[in-house]
Amino acid sequence: GLNFDEAVPSAAAWSRAVPAIAQLRPGFMATGAVILPGASANPDFDIAQLQGLQQVRENSVSTRLDYRLNQVWNSYFRFTHDQGTNVQPEGVSGRSVRITDNPTNAIYNLQGTFSNGLLNEFKFGYNGVPSRINGVAPVVNGIDFGNLVFNLSGSVANTGIAGQGSSSGIVTPGGLVRANSATNGRGQPYDPFSLTFADSVSRLAGNHLAKFGADVRLIRMKTDRLGGITYTFPNLTAFLANTPSAIQYLGDVSAPSVFNNGATGPRNTRQAYYVAFAQDEWHVTPKVTLNYGLRYDYYTPLTEKNDLIVKFNIDTGKIDPSTTALYASKKNNFQPRVSMTYAPEIGRAHD
């Protein structure tokens, strides 16, 4: 279980609230929370306590099928899927964060072994990890607390609660979760997946083991950012008078865009990786082995399927056309590799 001790405005404080603020009172303390008598050193605050349970559920399935096509070719198929949910309370207001992850992995492998020392291996893989992070908060007097959050600065001294410090933080009601380092939002949905095509050929001939191959990986992600409103108050007096020091509004990415002719909907990002390699392991002598090879990588710039990315140019101070690449990706990424190992004869057995 989880135990929360936080300061909430007292009845005396709520009696001074303007009507627009007074109607928010039920959203500051959950039904199961209790006031700790005499725990607060400030008459404008009570210390409330809530004991909650973090709920974690997970179900998974995995299977593998092996099949021999003939004397040369073998194959297998492996599939794994997982469903996980985590609901975690956050504070005495009753707000919670719900996280769901449903990863799926599938791979098909085809391997051929030939009499001339040739080995061919082909793989096709799928990886998908759809996830959701959402804040959950009640509806109070027709106001959906899931779309907003109230921040009251400071802490309140308490008279000593077992297992707690000498002060308690002020409750932060509302359902917004951290969207990034600067803003809060209702949720972060991510639907990424990748497709991988890989083939490699190796051959043992004499004292050489040569191998070459190529990988192509296609990466896709459907995503959104669900925003909300953050109200910040410098102190309790300002809150009761409904005079915030800041109001921050964060819009949805899927909302009509003023930069893309009113386009709506989630964003669909795309990227591709291209990899090729060739290498040889040469046993020059029983004691000397030489390894050498060459690898090539190319990562395409990240793009949006419908050219709906908004890119601010810090050099010109303007918004670049939506077809402008986010960054430049080099196409000359060649990586040579050479190594040598020497295995001396350490000792010799004698009769």
Side-chain angles (χ1 to χ4, degrees):
L2 300 173
N3 186 71
F4 300 96
D5 293 300
E6 292 180 313
V8 298
S10 65
W14 283 112
S15 67
R16 305 196 305 270
V18 299
I21 295 297
Q23 65 178 330
L24 304 176
R25 183 176 180 179
F28 276 66
M29 201 170 82
T31 304
V34 296
I35 298 296
L36 301 180
S40 174
N42 186 330
D44 279 339
F45 286 97
D46 290 323
I47 303 299
Q49 185 176 78
L50 177 67
Q51 295 180 343
L53 293 176
Q54 180 179 5
Q55 301 177 18
V56 179
R57 294 185 175 89
E58 183 177 9
N59 298 295
S60 63
V61 60
S62 179
T63 185
R64 172 170 171 150
L65 175 65
D66 290 81
Y67 181 68
R68 186 178 181 87
L69 285 75
N70 50 47
Q71 295 297 318
V72 174
W73 293 100
N74 292 282
S75 67
Y76 71 82
F77 173 75
R78 187 180 68 231
F79 174 83
T80 303
H81 178 69
D82 191 276
Q83 292 182 335
T85 303
N86 177 24
V87 180
Q88 179 172 323
E90 290 197 342
V92 301
S93 69
R95 61 171 276 151
S96 62
V97 175
R98 179 184 177 89
I99 302 174
T100 60
D101 289 294
N102 299 308
T104 299
N105 172 267
I107 184 170
Y108 175 73
N109 178 281
L110 179 64
Q111 186 177 85
T113 305
F114 301 87
S115 58
N116 61 353
L118 189 71
L119 176 67
N120 182 216
E121 184 176 28
F122 170 79
K123 290 183 179 180
F124 168 74
Y126 168 85
N127 280 287
V129 192
S131 63
R132 299 289 184 274
I133 304 176
N134 296 97
V136 180
V139 176
V140 175
N141 293 322
I143 301 173
D144 186 0
F145 270 52
N147 297 327
L148 45 83
V149 71
F150 297 96
N151 287 327
L152 280 71
S153 301
S155 61
V156 176
N158 59 51
T159 57
I161 305 173
Q164 303 297 319
S166 60
S167 65
S168 299
I170 299 176
V171 64
T172 304
L176 303 191
V177 296
R178 178 62 69 184
N180 52 49
S181 60
T183 56
N184 299 312
R186 306 191 312 278
Q188 309 296 309
Y190 298 101
D191 288 314
F193 73 91
S194 66
L195 301 175
T196 301
F197 304 85
D199 190 75
S200 63
V201 176
S202 59
R203 186 170 187 269
L204 179 62
N207 54 358
H208 287 268
L209 176 58
K211 185 176 183 179
F212 60 91
D215 295 0
V216 176
R217 180 175 300 180
L218 308 177
I219 300 175
R220 304 290 185 265
M221 183 172 71
K222 179 180 179 181
T223 187
D224 197 355
R225 182 196 62 202
L226 306 178
I229 305 175
T230 299
Y231 297 90
T232 302
F233 299 86
N235 50 53
L236 179 62
T237 300
F239 169 68
L240 297 175
N242 195 19
T243 54
S245 58
I247 301 176
Q248 183 182 62
Y249 171 77
L250 180 68
D252 297 355
V253 167
S254 56
S257 172
V258 298
F259 301 104
N260 292 301
N261 299 318
T264 61
R267 299 302 185 253
N268 297 274
T269 63
R270 302 185 299 179
Q271 193 175 24
Y273 298 171
Y274 299 97
V275 179
F277 69 92
Q279 64 184 49
D280 182 33
E281 181 179 299
W282 178 21
H283 294 271
V284 183
T285 71
K287 298 180 181 180
V288 178
T289 301
L290 182 65
N291 289 275
Y292 52 94
L294 180 67
R295 178 186 174 95
Y296 174 77
D297 294 91
Y298 175 62
Y299 298 168
T300 66
L302 185 70
T303 61
E304 204 282 327
K305 179 181 178 182
N306 299 305
D307 291 326
L308 296 180
I309 288 179
V310 178
K311 179 174 176 287
F312 177 76
N313 192 315
I314 60 175
D315 295 322
T316 64
K318 299 179 180 179
I319 301 295
D320 284 340
S322 60
T323 55
T324 305
L326 290 175
Y327 53 86
S329 184
K330 293 184 178 180
K331 297 183 179 181
N332 59 348
N333 192 16
F334 291 94
Q335 305 162 59
R337 178 174 64 89
V338 178
S339 66
M340 186 184 72
T341 58
Y342 175 69
E345 188 174 356
I346 303 300
R348 179 176 299 177
H350 297 277
D351 293 335

